[in-house]
Amino acid sequence: MIKSLIISTQRSPKLKIEWYHLLEHCLVEELQFLIDNSDLKETGIVLEAETFIDGFHIEIIFNNDKNYNNLIKIIRKAIKNVSKSKIVPDQIEVINEEVKHFDLTIEEKSLYNPIITIIGKNIEELYCKINKLDIVSIRSFFEKVDYRLIYANKDCFEIIQDSKVSSIKVNENNFDVYKQEPYLNGFIKSEISTTKEFMLLSLLSFIIGKSNNSVLDKQYLNKNNYYLGYSHDINVYGIFIILFVAEYQKDTEFINKDSIYSFIEECNFSMYRNAFITYFCLTETPRSIAKIFSRNLNQFPSIEYKDLIQEIHQINKEDLLSFVEFL
């Protein structure tokens, strides 16, 4: 049975993303070194890591319960070693080479463009090189990082070590659309503090742009004989953001919050909800949910995966309509 330990930290908006990217690389390097020099070397442990605009997570994936306590010790030792400014100089070169090869398409830039207006961060900050003149500040930063540690298996996930998660100032609009040929883009956003809010937003995103009979399909793409249009979700600083992008030509009329509300009001809600349950079970696991929540919610209990699915079953049309109305 696959299990994982997730180490995460939330980025301070005042600090550079590339510093967190370097910390992620150095911590992964130290974790791998300690695992390779332990009795766990041949147990099939896999490391995965990702840095995003709000911080990073590192996932240590394993399959034997007996490895748990030893991995916890290794994690704590790795964090301690790295916090003592154990910067791996080679990793600076690796990161600078890595970001040099990233190439965002016009479509991707358009999709992520609303992030700038929402939280003041640009997706292209992920691809900044590390300035070696920052090295003294980076060493100080490494010493002060606050980590969260989460355990996840196929049934649930729970916090082992908590950390302080901060909210940031965001714009007041919860819905907006930007039109610039050849794409339009936009967002719907809401703060999340409960799993029900997370599920309502996930369901809303599915209905808007992830199903074969989505709002985008029926109210925009089919009407204009367009092909490209979809929604994409990100969770940053406790804010769930539904991003959407679609083909656009001048003066094409696009959907708005009222038309989304009307679509939900008139649709076969049970069909969409059941399709979303299938989609959610295919695409999300306790591991993936734990990674989403690890940087973004201050407190949450041990969450059972089956309870999340049950929560979707309990959502009715009126719940979603009320949620959309007050966005």
Side-chain angles (χ1 to χ4, degrees):
M1 181 195 303
I2 294 295
K3 307 165 185 65
S4 69
L5 289 162
I6 299 166
I7 311 161
S8 70
T9 189
Q10 187 194 66
R11 174 195 173 198
S12 166
K14 298 177 182 178
L15 300 180
K16 298 177 182 179
I17 294 177
E18 58 265 32
W19 294 6
Y20 286 84
H21 196 178
L22 177 61
L23 176 56
E24 174 227 302
H25 274 240
C26 291
L27 191 49
V28 167
E29 184 98 346
E30 184 66 11
L31 285 164
Q32 192 66 65
F33 173 80
L34 293 174
I35 290 170
D36 288 345
N37 287 276
S38 74
D39 293 339
L40 302 180
K41 180 178 180 179
E42 298 181 1
T43 58
I45 292 168
V46 174
L47 300 183
E48 292 185 354
E50 181 183 44
T51 297
F52 197 56
I53 57 175
D54 64 334
F56 70 74
H57 67 257
I58 299 168
E59 186 177 21
I60 304 170
I61 307 164
F62 59 105
N63 57 34
N64 191 329
D65 286 326
K66 295 178 182 178
N67 297 342
Y68 177 88
N69 289 329
N70 285 336
L71 281 172
I72 292 291
K73 292 176 183 177
I74 285 174
I75 289 168
R76 299 201 188 285
K77 185 174 181 180
I79 288 173
K80 183 178 179 180
N81 289 349
V82 171
S83 71
K84 292 179 178 178
S85 304
K86 191 170 182 179
I87 295 175
V88 183
D90 289 350
Q91 290 304 317
I92 295 178
E93 301 302 328
V94 169
I95 287 173
N96 286 345
E97 185 67 19
E98 177 184 329
V99 300
K100 187 170 72 174
H101 292 282
F102 279 113
D103 185 20
L104 288 172
T105 66
I106 296 174
E107 178 187 325
E108 289 168 328
K109 288 180 181 179
S110 182
L111 173 67
Y112 285 105
N113 189 56
I115 297 175
I116 304 171
T117 60
I118 297 170
I119 62 173
K121 304 300 174 188
N122 190 322
I123 193 70
E124 294 185 57
E125 289 182 55
L126 279 170
Y127 311 113
C128 291
K129 291 186 176 182
I130 296 171
N131 187 339
K132 293 181 181 179
L133 296 178
D134 289 342
I135 198 70
V136 174
S137 298
I138 292 172
R139 289 186 188 279
S140 176
F141 156 66
F142 272 31
E143 294 173 359
K144 299 172 183 176
V145 176
D146 190 21
Y147 296 93
R148 174 174 282 178
L149 188 56
I150 292 175
Y151 168 76
N153 60 32
K154 73 177 184 66
D155 297 316
C156 69
F157 65 91
E158 61 182 331
I159 293 177
I160 300 170
Q161 174 182 308
D162 208 352
S163 65
K164 183 180 180 181
V165 177
S166 302
S167 59
I168 65 169
K169 186 177 181 180
V170 297
N171 75 356
E172 295 180 357
N173 292 340
N174 287 327
F175 181 99
D176 215 337
V177 179
Y178 310 94
K179 300 176 180 180
Q180 184 175 0
E181 294 185 71
Y183 300 109
L184 62 75
N185 61 73
F187 71 87
I188 295 173
K189 72 170 178 64
S190 178
E191 292 187 15
I192 50 172
S193 57
T194 67
T195 53
K196 183 173 182 179
E197 290 169 345
F198 174 79
M199 285 304 177
L200 281 165
L201 282 154
S202 298
L203 173 58
L204 179 60
S205 179
F206 176 81
I207 292 174
I208 288 172
K210 292 182 181 176
S211 75
N212 292 330
N213 297 297
S214 69
V215 176
L216 279 172
D217 279 337
K218 289 186 170 293
Q219 294 195 354
Y220 182 72
L221 299 178
N222 295 347
K223 186 187 299 184
N224 296 291
N225 295 318
Y226 292 156
Y227 167 73
L228 185 133
Y230 57 90
S231 60
H232 174 69
D233 311 331
I234 62 171
N235 294 270
V236 292
Y237 297 109
I239 304 160
F240 191 115
I241 306 172
I242 302 172
L243 299 170
F244 48 83
V245 65
E247 294 177 61
Y248 175 70
Q249 294 181 17
K250 189 177 179 181
D251 299 327
T252 308
E253 185 178 344
F254 190 61
I255 60 176
N256 55 37
K257 200 164 81 169
D258 289 340
S259 63
I260 293 171
Y261 185 95
S262 298
F263 183 94
I264 296 169
E265 192 173 39
E266 296 168 8
C267 78
N268 181 341
F269 181 78
S270 294
M271 179 189 75
Y272 281 95
R273 182 183 57 197
N274 291 336
F276 171 65
I277 292 170
T278 303
Y279 174 83
F280 187 86
C281 291
L282 281 170
T283 59
E284 302 293 355
T285 66
R287 285 175 49 219
S288 64
I289 299 297
K291 284 185 281 189
I292 290 169
F293 284 176
S294 66
R295 296 192 304 270
N296 297 310
L297 292 183
N298 269 318
Q299 293 182 343
F300 54 89
S302 173
I303 297 177
E304 298 281 341
Y305 186 73
K306 63 182 180 181
D307 291 341
L308 289 179
I309 304 303
Q310 187 58 39
E311 200 154 32
I312 305 171
H313 281 283
Q314 294 170 354
I315 293 173
N316 56 44
K317 182 182 288 190
E318 288 68 33
D319 290 331
L320 190 57
L321 287 171
S322 178
F323 191 76
V324 172
E325 184 177 7
F326 291 101
L327 279 173

